[in-house]
Amino acid sequence: MTLARRASLSLWGLAIWIGSLIPLSGPVAPGGDKLQHFAGYGGLALLAMWNCPRPLPVWLACTAMGVAVEFAQALTPYRSFDVADMLANGAGALLGVGLALLAARLRKG
């Protein structure tokens, strides 16, 4: 695993934590936050698979982070705990793992 790969994964994960814990700055379109969760954790899983191509551990780690973020949000006065967000996080991570597996299969021919 190269330094650039580790750094990209770390920065993406940090961006998710920061973006999830800062106060919201404006209105969100209906369902728009679920798309953000889905895409964010999909990207996280893709980067994680690039670093460690083990599907189940990657999916579990990304999903666990999504659950942890929701519990952390419950501790802030300006964010809230949402089970639907956790589901979007896990689903996005699953898609990211699946895309990484598909890309690896296509590369092999």
Side-chain angles (χ1 to χ4, degrees), residues 12-102:
W12 192 273
L14 181 62
I16 288 175
W17 274 100
I18 290 170
S20 297
L21 294 176
I22 61 173
L24 294 173
S25 59
V28 179
D33 71 318
K34 302 305 178 261
L35 291 174
Q36 290 172 339
H37 285 267
F38 188 80
Y41 284 85
L44 182 69
L46 274 170
L47 290 171
M49 287 290 289
W50 190 32
N51 281 278
C52 175
R54 296 180 57 211
L56 184 59
V58 164
W59 179 76
L60 288 172
C62 292
T63 300
M65 181 177 137
V67 171
V69 163
E70 289 304 312
F71 277 98
Q73 286 180 338
L75 300 174
T76 69
Y78 42 81
R79 299 299 289 259
S80 62
F81 177 91
D82 188 352
V83 173
D85 286 350
M86 286 192 289
L87 293 173
N89 298 342
L94 185 61
L95 177 67
V97 166
L99 289 175
L101 291 172
L102 178 62

